Amino acid sequence: LILLGEKKSAKARLESLLANNSLDHSSLIQAYYQGELYKEAIFHFGRNSSQLKPQEQLKLLPFIYPLAHLSTFELFANKYSIPIELPLSITRQESAFDPDARSWADAFGLMQLIPERANQLARELDLKIEHFSDLYEPSLNIQLGTYLLSKLYKQYKGEFPFNIASYNAGERPVNNWRTNRFRGDVLEFIESIPYQETQNYVKLILRNKVIYRKLMSEKSFQLKDLDITNF
C-alpha cells in the first residue's frame, strides 16, 4: 500500500495491526516514517513515548525528526544563508511535515504561511501565487518560508530567540518585548514572553534545533557548548 501511494489505506492497516498486537509502537513509528506519514509518526511517538524505554526513544529520533524534502531545504537554506536546522525545526513544529496542513488561522502548507504574507514574500522574489492552494506545493512553501526566516534572521542578527518568536507572533510584539523585557539573559527573556503559545513555541524550536543539529552533525557536541544567543 505504501509503495502504491495509498497512504490512507496504509495508515488504517498499520493501526489495525497495532490494535491486534501484531505491531509494537516502535515498529509502527518506523513504518509510518517509511510510508512518508511523518505527522502520524511524530504524533504517535508523542502519545506513546512513556511506553518506550529511553534507549528505544533515542533510536527513534531519526524517525520523528524527519529530513523530508531535504534537498529543497538545503537549496533554499544555502540560497538565503541560514542554518538548515532552522527551517527544518520550524516545519516540524508548524505542520509535522504534512504538506496539506491548514491551521485555524488559515496558514497553509509545510511552513504554515498566511496567504497575505506569502503574497508579499512572493512579490519580493518575483514569484506568482495564483491561489492560496499553491501554498500546499512543498517547494514553493519551503522557498517562501525559508526566505521569511532569512529576513527575520538578518533583522535580529541571528539572535535567538527573537527571530523564532517573530515567526510565531510577528515582529511588532517581539520588538516591544525586546525593548521592555530583555535584560541581557536569553533564558530569562524566554520565560518573560507574555504570549504562552509563543513562549512554548520558542522552547520547542530550540529543542528541535538541538536535535536536528545532533542528527545532522558529524561531530559530537555538548549542550553546554552551544551558544543559544546566536544559534
Side-chain angles (χ1 to χ4, degrees):
L1 289 170
I2 288 171
L3 290 173
L4 290 171
E6 298 290 342
K7 290 187 178 181
K8 288 184 179 179
S9 298
K11 178 185 174 185
R13 178 60 178 154
L14 288 169
E15 289 174 352
S16 71
L17 289 172
L18 180 70
N20 294 328
N21 296 317
S22 300
L23 209 60
D24 59 33
H25 292 295
S26 180
S27 298
L28 176 65
I29 289 167
Q30 293 179 58
Y32 276 147
Y33 178 88
Q34 291 163 1
E36 299 182 3
L37 295 164
Y38 305 119
K39 179 179 71 175
E40 288 76 6
I42 292 167
F43 286 4
H44 189 83
F45 179 88
R47 290 191 298 266
N48 299 281
S49 59
S50 62
Q51 300 183 48
L52 298 166
K53 296 177 181 178
Q55 281 304 113
E56 289 180 296
Q57 294 185 30
L58 285 174
K59 289 179 181 178
L60 287 172
L61 285 181
F63 302 101
I64 59 170
Y65 284 83
L67 295 174
H69 309 287
L70 182 59
S71 61
T72 305
F73 279 109
E74 287 177 332
L75 172 65
F76 293 118
N78 289 332
K79 183 173 183 178
Y80 301 126
S81 303
I82 61 172
I84 190 172
E85 302 98 337
L86 184 52
L88 285 169
S89 298
I90 293 286
T91 301
R92 187 187 188 277
Q93 205 57 43
E94 291 285 351
S95 68
F97 287 88
D98 177 7
D100 299 321
R102 179 174 181 173
S103 76
W104 60 268
D106 274 344
F108 295 85
L110 286 169
M111 298 187 71
Q112 289 291 275
L113 298 172
I114 295 173
E116 183 179 358
R117 190 69 184 266
N119 278 311
Q120 174 195 342
L121 297 167
R123 286 192 296 270
E124 293 177 16
L125 294 172
D126 200 24
L127 299 172
K128 194 170 184 179
I129 297 175
E130 299 285 353
H131 190 261
F132 70 81
S133 60
D134 292 346
L135 295 174
Y136 288 130
E137 201 282 309
S139 181
L140 176 64
N141 194 286
I142 292 171
Q143 180 173 8
L144 295 176
T146 304
Y147 175 62
L148 172 57
L149 282 172
S150 75
K151 285 167 64 74
L152 298 173
Y153 195 79
K154 291 173 184 174
Q155 179 177 336
Y156 296 105
K157 299 179 181 178
E159 292 180 324
F160 186 91
F162 310 116
N163 53 349
I164 303 302
S166 58
Y167 193 93
N168 178 261
E171 295 96 304
R172 183 176 295 178
V174 171
N175 290 337
N176 178 270
W177 303 337
R178 191 183 188 193
T179 300
N180 298 306
R181 293 172 179 266
F182 182 54
R183 298 186 294 183
D185 188 315
V186 169
L187 296 179
E188 179 186 64
F189 172 76
I190 294 172
E191 294 298 333
S192 77
I193 294 175
Y195 294 1
Q196 191 63 51
E197 177 190 336
T198 303
Q199 184 184 126
N200 292 336
Y201 184 84
V202 169
K203 294 176 182 179
L204 290 168
I205 296 301
L206 176 58
R207 175 203 65 186
N208 291 354
K209 284 192 70 181
V210 169
I211 293 175
Y212 270 119
R213 180 164 294 187
K214 177 69 174 176
L215 290 174
M216 300 180 74
S217 177
E218 295 180 358
K219 299 179 181 178
S220 62
F221 64 86
Q222 300 292 322
L223 283 175
K224 63 182 178 62
D225 297 327
L226 292 177
D227 177 11
I228 67 168
T229 59
N230 191 9
F231 179 51

